[in-house]
Amino acid sequence: MLKLYIGNKNYSSWSMRPWVLMRQAGIGFEEVKLRFDSFSANSNFKQRLGAISPAGKVPVLVDGDLVVWDTLAIAEYLAEKFPELHLWPRAAPERARARSVVAEMHSGFGALRSACGMNIEARLPEAGAIVWRDNAGARADVARIVEMWQELLAAHGGPMLFGRFSIADAFYAPVVMRLATYALPVPADIAAYMRRVCELPGVAAWIADALAEKDFLPFEEPYRAAPAA
């Protein structure tokens, strides 16, 4: 059976992408969660992961003797291993466009990522308001995401970015989490898409697990005190 190594579900946006993709697509796998104790070389997280992957980061997919790291590489491997699931759109032009928007997510939106770390358990509208007021880069990232989503939803009629669920929706699921946590302003049609993403069984399962962790990590959240028990 495939084995997927991930980090804390509340915080690990990179882990969320392949986990949601596999769960939503019905691909069976064993989950191995490595808690974020710290990211120093001698941390338990780094020690355990270093024995599996030379990159020392999650997620990591293991298929027998094969080790695949990096979220995009994992998605491509799964698309090739399970072609009948059509994890990318079927038509070549749409596959190219889907790969383009996924690659844009993979390498871009640094201002939004830096200012608004994924934190599913938290609700941080005050922090989001400050980001929105002071961070032009984050506002530009959100504007680009909104524009992209609106174009894709209009072109394919929804409910997902390319009509049916695909790798693209899995890759942008953590963005949905960020927009919700920090209450960043989006148009009504984008808010509706965000609700549909959260209602996907694979995404809903990840959210439920993240909320159940109750594992506050101060180094991940220097901006607030631990939640009340």
Side-chain angles (χ1 to χ4, degrees):
M1 175 178 282
L2 296 171
K3 185 178 294 187
L4 183 68
Y5 290 81
I6 63 170
N8 287 54
K9 289 182 177 176
N10 190 49
Y11 302 113
S12 185
S13 59
W14 290 106
S15 298
M16 184 180 186
R17 295 181 174 100
W19 193 100
V20 163
L21 177 64
M22 297 171 76
R23 182 68 173 264
Q24 186 64 26
I27 298 171
F29 66 98
E30 177 187 349
E31 170 194 314
V32 182
K33 187 168 73 174
L34 303 180
R35 181 179 181 269
F36 291 160
D37 56 335
S38 82
F39 300 119
S40 63
N42 62 351
S43 67
N44 185 60
F45 173 80
K46 285 292 188 180
Q47 292 292 322
R48 290 184 63 191
L49 194 57
I52 302 158
S53 166
K57 297 179 180 179
V58 287
V60 179
L61 181 71
V62 176
D63 186 4
D65 294 331
L66 176 66
V67 178
V68 186
W69 62 93
D70 183 271
T71 304
L72 185 51
I74 292 171
E76 290 285 12
Y77 178 72
L78 293 170
E80 292 183 0
K81 185 175 178 68
F82 302 99
E84 72 281 2
L85 296 179
H86 302 289
L87 301 179
W88 291 115
R90 298 189 184 201
E94 293 308 305
R95 285 200 303 277
R97 192 173 188 192
R99 283 189 166 99
S100 295
V101 301
V102 164
E104 187 173 354
M105 177 69 259
H106 194 253
S107 62
F109 307 119
L112 177 63
R113 292 185 193 188
S114 177
C116 301
M118 193 174 85
N119 190 333
I120 293 172
E121 176 271 330
R123 287 296 173 264
L124 303 169
E126 295 86 1
I130 294 171
V131 168
W132 197 254
R133 183 192 68 194
D134 296 342
N135 194 320
R139 291 197 305 271
D141 283 351
V142 173
R144 168 59 190 145
I145 290 165
V146 166
E147 174 191 47
M148 176 200 301
W149 289 358
Q150 286 180 327
E151 289 178 353
L152 293 172
L153 291 168
H156 301 95
M160 298 290 107
L161 296 178
F162 288 86
R164 65 191 295 274
F165 174 80
S166 72
I167 291 170
D169 301 292
F171 262 68
Y172 281 93
V175 173
V176 170
M177 303 299 106
R178 287 179 162 97
L179 294 175
T181 293
Y182 296 88
L184 301 182
V186 296
D189 57 341
I190 297 304
Y193 168 69
M194 290 168 57
R195 287 192 296 271
R196 294 195 296 273
V197 169
C198 291
E199 290 168 357
L200 291 169
V203 175
W206 178 278
I207 292 172
D209 288 350
L211 295 177
E213 280 181 342
K214 301 188 183 304
D215 186 14
F216 177 78
L217 301 179
F219 65 88
E220 286 280 1
E221 304 192 50
Y223 43 79
R224 69 172 186 150

